[in-house]
Amino acid sequence: MALLFVITLFVSAGLLFWVQPLIAKALLPSLGGTPAVWNTCMLFFQSMLLCGYLYVLAATRWLGVGRQAVLHLVLLLVAALSLPFMVFDSAAIPAPVDDSPVVWLLGRLTWTLGLPFFVLSASAPLLQKWFSRTTHPAAGDPYFLYAASNAGSLCALVAFPLLLEPNLRLPRQGALWAGAYGLLVVLVAACAFVLWRSKPTSAGTPLPRPPRPPRTNSVTDDEARRSVTDGKAPSVVNGVTDGITDNIIHEITHGRRALWVMLAFVPSSLVLGVTTYISTDIAAVPLLWVIPLALYLLTFVLAFAKRGVPGRGVMGRVLQGAALLVTLAYLSGATEPGWLVALVHLVFFFIAALVCHERLADARPPAAHLDEFYLWVAVGGALGGVFNALVAPVVFDDVIEYPLLIVLACLMLARRDENGVGEERGGRGTLCWRDAVFPIGIGLLTAALALASTRFEIGMVGRVAMVLGIPLMVLNHFFARRPVRFAFGLGAVMLGSIVYTQGGTRTLHVERNFYGTLRVTRSASGTFHRLQHGSTIHGRQFIDPSRRCEPLSYYHRTGPLGSVFAAFDAQPAAPNVAVIGLGTGATAAYAQTGERWTFYEINPAMIEVARDPKFFNYLSECAAVPIEIVAGDARLQIRNAPPRHYGLIVLDAFSSDAIPAHLLTREALALYLDKLADRGLLAFHVSNRSLNLHHVAEGLAKNAGLTALVIDDREYDSINGKEPSQWVVLARCPEDLVALTEGDTRWLPLMGHPDSPLWSDDFSDIIGVFKWLG
């Protein structure tokens, strides 16, 4: 019997977590490949999970188990009518062009996936509730099934990027998913039959209880209550609790419910925060969605396993150490090597989620309250999604929620009893005035060190050690035994370090929307205006009117793009130029009389900033011809251009440091070639801190039979505003690139990587192009 329920829960959870990256990947191109797509999808998934748990709570309280089984099977069959998913045939429908297409995306998910996901979300708690009503010896403590459910979820997540995505196209996966769903219906029917054969008690009827044993000196009622409120479940045999604690296990206080919600909220919000942080600078691809989510589920598996996690006593201290390390990496602006920075954030997240889920497992109630427990856990998870996807982008103009959750995770180390009263870890009493005053002092120390560091000629490493290393060492040595003081102190260091992170620059404009955070700053020297998207510079412009029309940064006339336009102007295949990605609009400075220029840009905020003369003037003053800007995803919008229309297509679309993967696929290249005139040029900006994107371009060129050149310009000139950059140019035949190589001998043939990956709409391999050595 138990094996049947384990298999059914495993399959149900596997389907639930297989479909999440599957649907998100299918919808990603409609929204420009931005990392916020995954956050919004996660909000939908968590909200539907909450709806599923509400359904289970209502069904188990108002219906007998027989009617529950009939209702659930009917819902499973009705949901099957929406299969297979139609999203794979219509994912190319453009999303509305505005700052926040969240409503559109949530509506599309609801229409496509709503009912099947709702029914699957309800399966785990409902099947566990059914199992607790059987006569199986383990029925009194069915939480081991929760671990089995999470194991199925984990296997599905790992299988998607490693097995399913590389080998199966999305429509094929959709068909297989529908077949597996049919198998689940059969398994659930079998569980319902076993439940009926076991003659369970009706829902809401207490199981029989043996006579209350006489009180002994070994266990008092107060001790039993403390055992329950500390999360230690009373002894259970065949669903029957012992007599001492039975009179109190039904008393679930509001404070205990709030604790469940918070312990679920923190990891839920953190998993979205760390996923966004990583994918923003690398790529929005399923692998980088799956890794944090798999770690999240793994902590559930470990925390709710029967044997638990060894070494629980030191996990709090380990979490504090990891928090110090991730804070140092975050505040110092470390970005390279990308894999190491990502690893630091993932390790902290794993430890923080494990600590929270361990406390959640310890605080779980007896099986009589299983449905309510899962409901409040789902509430916490859904609130995490709401906070990251809806609240934070509106309330904060920068990504504040991630460091805020780092602090909150450390705050979870402070113990709380069932009434919500806090006490320090290690039995060191309640809060005192020092827990507020000392953190203020450490914040002031950080700010003072940041100001003092500007007076010394020290390198970046020395400045980081002075401004951040000293305060973090003080936290580690003097605050660690008081978790509340430690958490507040960590937050104070983050606030005090603002003086350090500003670096003497003046912020002119900050704006955040669905596509990320834009920041316009004035350099400390007063020479440039600079545009930053996420952690990456996206362009700059001289403030001096006499030099204002010089293209700077990655678009400098002495750089690769300067030689591309020199070659294009010498032999234009067609007078039309397309630029995918707007930035500051610096490339418009290359426009010549008689040409027609079109920019494709999905971010409305980017368009407003580039057009605002208070910030940048390339579009308003420097272009020799009128500039057309087409709003929306470039791959969807460029389809409307006539065939063989453009003599030059420049691909320069980045979200922070990551290029949207769907713009570098085999199918995308076929579209560009259809719009490219004979003897036309394709110029790809492939600069990236974490990925060797020129290998991706090489794979595309080989597959399409194109000629490719590459240039890696390492020159950095801070006075004249030039940034290092790497560019690749593709053409249909070698003769089309003669003018480029004759004008600039730095261009070299792109070859020599025998295993260049071929990215497609179905699979983008980032492991093979990772810069492991920085």
Side-chain angles (χ1 to χ4, degrees):
M1 180 193 299
L3 181 61
L4 173 62
F5 278 85
V6 167
I7 293 174
T8 306
L9 278 165
F10 188 92
V11 172
S12 174
L15 287 172
L16 194 68
F17 281 83
W18 176 7
V19 78
Q20 293 182 26
L22 179 66
I23 290 293
K25 181 175 176 63
L27 290 171
L28 190 64
S30 297
L31 293 158
T34 177
V37 171
W38 177 246
N39 271 15
T40 307
C41 288
M42 284 296 293
L43 168 62
F44 168 80
F45 300 144
Q46 290 165 329
S47 300
M48 293 306 297
L49 189 69
L50 175 59
C51 292
Y53 284 7
L54 282 170
Y55 152 68
V56 172
L57 182 63
T60 54
R61 293 198 174 184
W62 297 338
L63 300 176
V65 288
R67 292 182 178 179
Q68 292 171 30
V70 171
L71 174 61
H72 198 63
L73 286 170
V74 168
L75 288 176
L76 283 167
L77 293 173
V78 171
L81 299 177
S82 64
L83 303 178
F85 303 117
M86 293 296 103
V87 69
F88 308 109
D89 299 326
S90 55
I93 298 176
V97 181
D98 54 39
D99 287 340
S100 183
V102 171
V103 175
W104 177 87
L105 181 54
L106 291 175
R108 189 137 175 80
L109 286 165
T110 303
W111 175 259
T112 303
L113 185 63
L115 187 55
F117 199 90
F118 166 78
V119 179
L120 287 174
S121 298
S123 295
L126 187 61
L127 288 169
Q128 290 180 63
K129 192 70 175 179
W130 288 358
F131 184 78
S132 70
R133 294 291 183 177
T134 67
T135 56
H136 192 276
D141 187 15
Y143 287 98
F144 73 94
L145 293 175
Y146 195 41
S149 174
N150 281 307
S153 306
L154 187 61
C155 289
L157 283 177
V158 173
F160 184 83
L162 299 183
L163 297 175
L164 298 171
E165 188 186 18
N167 299 303
L168 297 173
R169 293 179 59 84
L170 295 180
R172 178 62 176 164
Q173 287 193 57
L176 288 177
W177 193 94
Y181 183 90
L183 173 63
L184 176 66
V185 174
V186 175
L187 290 171
V188 172
C191 290
F193 177 75
V194 169
L195 180 67
W196 174 74
R197 288 289 302 271
S198 64
K199 296 182 174 62
T201 57
S202 60
T205 303
L207 291 169
R209 183 173 68 207
R212 181 183 180 92
R215 178 174 299 177
T216 66
N217 293 330
S218 60
V219 181
T220 66
D221 281 349
D222 288 340
E223 288 171 343
R225 182 178 297 277
R226 283 196 299 270
S227 174
V228 174
T229 56
D230 286 343
K232 299 174 182 177
S235 59
V236 181
V237 179
N238 289 341
V240 181
T241 58
D242 63 36
I244 295 174
T245 58
D246 186 68
N247 64 322
I248 59 173
I249 61 172
H250 298 291
E251 298 176 9
I252 305 297
T253 65
H254 295 311
R256 196 173 184 190
R257 294 185 182 98
L259 179 62
W260 294 341
V261 171
M262 283 304 300
L263 290 173
F265 167 82
V266 172
S268 173
S269 183
L270 266 179
V271 71
L272 298 180
V274 74
T275 303
T276 300
Y277 186 82
I278 294 172
S279 59
T280 295
D281 279 344
I282 300 178
V285 294
L287 178 64
L288 297 183
W289 303 336
V290 162
I291 292 175
L293 188 56
L295 292 176
Y296 174 81
L297 291 174
L298 180 59
T299 61
F300 262 120
V301 173
L302 295 175
F304 281 85
K306 285 188 175 182
R307 294 184 179 181
V309 181
R312 286 194 176 196
V314 300
M315 287 304 297
R317 193 69 186 93
V318 173
L319 173 59
Q320 290 177 332
L324 294 173
L325 185 60
V326 78
T327 300
L328 178 63
Y330 183 83
L331 296 181
S332 64
T335 56
E336 298 180 66
W339 69 268
L340 182 59
V341 175
L343 182 62
V344 169
H345 289 270
L346 289 172
V347 167
F348 165 76
F349 162 69
F350 176 78
I351 296 171
L354 183 59
V355 168
C356 290
H357 289 155
E358 281 179 345
R359 289 206 59 197
L360 187 63
D362 290 341
R364 68 189 187 271
H369 296 286
L370 180 146
D371 47 1
E372 183 181 1
F373 173 69
Y374 285 142
L375 173 65
W376 290 112
V377 170
V379 168
L383 288 177
V386 169
F387 178 68
N388 282 64
L390 299 182
V391 177
V394 175
V395 175
F396 306 128
D397 58 10
D398 206 345
V399 186
I400 305 298
E401 64 272 18
Y402 184 41
L404 182 64
L405 263 295
I406 294 175
V407 173
L408 192 57
C410 294
L411 199 58
M412 291 294 100
L413 292 175
R415 294 177 59 190
R416 288 183 177 274
D417 63 20
E418 67 170 306
N419 297 312
V421 178
E423 57 177 321
E424 288 285 58
R425 179 172 56 88
R428 294 183 173 271
T430 57
L431 300 179
C432 66
W433 62 270
R434 298 181 186 87
D435 294 322
V437 173
F438 285 5
I440 293 175
I442 201 73
L444 293 175
L445 172 64
T446 305
L449 290 172
L451 291 173
S453 68
T454 61
R455 300 179 179 273
F456 299 98
E457 293 294 333
I458 56 177
M460 178 62 69
V461 175
R463 192 173 181 212
V464 169
M466 177 179 177
V467 177
L468 300 176
I470 294 175
L472 293 179
M473 287 178 62
V474 172
L475 283 178
N476 184 55
H477 288 286
F478 300 106
F479 286 35
R481 291 184 179 273
R482 304 278 301 191
V484 172
R485 189 179 303 173
F486 178 88
F488 288 169
L490 195 65
V493 170
M494 293 177 179
L495 290 175
S497 68
I498 292 176
V499 179
Y500 162 76
T501 55
Q502 289 287 337
T505 61
R506 177 188 171 194
T507 299
L508 304 178
H509 178 74
V510 179
E511 185 172 355
R512 181 180 181 184
N513 63 9
F514 185 80
Y515 302 99
T517 300
L518 294 180
R519 183 183 300 273
V520 181
T521 60
R522 183 181 181 131
S523 64
S525 62
T527 307
F528 305 102
H529 280 176
R530 185 178 70 177
L531 175 64
Q532 186 169 330
H533 188 198
S535 63
T536 306
I537 296 174
H538 275 225
R540 64 178 79 214
Q541 185 178 29
F542 277 117
I543 297 175
D544 182 357
S546 64
R547 305 190 67 182
R548 190 173 286 167
C549 287
E550 296 181 20
L552 304 181
S553 191
Y554 319 105
Y555 320 104
H556 205 277
R557 290 193 185 276
T558 65
L561 193 62
S563 61
V564 168
F565 275 101
F568 172 72
D569 292 337
Q571 292 180 321
N576 306 310
V577 177
V579 182
I580 298 175
L582 178 60
T584 61
T587 51
Y590 288 100
Q592 301 289 324
T593 303
E595 296 174 348
R596 295 185 59 185
W597 278 58
T598 304
F599 281 89
Y600 294 92
E601 174 60 52
I602 195 172
N603 190 347
M606 188 76 77
I607 297 174
E608 293 176 4
V609 167
R611 282 175 167 170
D612 194 332
K614 297 195 303 292
F615 306 135
F616 302 102
N617 307 87
Y618 287 118
L619 297 179
S620 59
E621 298 182 11
C622 303
V625 296
I627 300 295
E628 180 186 5
I629 298 178
V630 177
D633 178 71
R635 186 166 157 187
L636 300 179
Q637 297 298 332
I638 203 172
R639 293 176 177 176
N640 300 323
R644 303 291 193 269
H645 182 65
Y646 293 114
L648 172 64
I649 298 177
V650 179
L651 180 62
D652 183 42
F654 285 85
S655 174
S656 188
D657 196 43
I659 190 170
H662 73 292
L663 297 180
L664 272 179
T665 65
R666 174 182 56 202
E667 294 81 0
L669 179 62
L671 177 63
Y672 304 150
L673 291 175
D674 179 65
K675 306 303 177 183
L676 189 69
D678 294 335
R679 302 187 62 83
L681 304 177
L682 280 171
F684 290 179
H685 186 191
V686 294
S687 304
N688 192 275
R689 293 189 295 261
S690 303
L691 303 178
N692 290 306
L693 292 177
H694 62 286
H695 293 330
V696 179
E698 182 179 356
L700 293 174
K702 288 179 179 178
N703 179 260
L706 304 178
T707 301
L709 299 177
V710 63
I711 183 171
D712 190 5
D713 185 7
R714 303 290 182 89
E715 182 182 1
Y716 174 72
D717 187 346
S718 60
I719 297 176
N720 292 303
K722 183 180 179 182
E723 303 277 352
S725 63
Q726 187 178 45
W727 291 76
V728 170
V729 173
L730 306 182
R732 291 187 175 93
C733 59
E735 292 77 14
D736 299 339
L737 298 174
V738 171
L740 184 61
T741 54
E742 289 180 348
D744 191 340
T745 57
R746 296 175 298 172
W747 288 94
L748 301 173
L750 181 59
M751 62 179 62
H753 193 265
D755 298 323
S756 298
L758 177 62
W759 284 12
S760 69
D761 286 351
D762 295 302
F763 180 56
S764 301
D765 174 25
I766 66 169
I767 298 298
V769 296
F770 222 97
K771 294 181 179 179
W772 296 104
L773 300 179

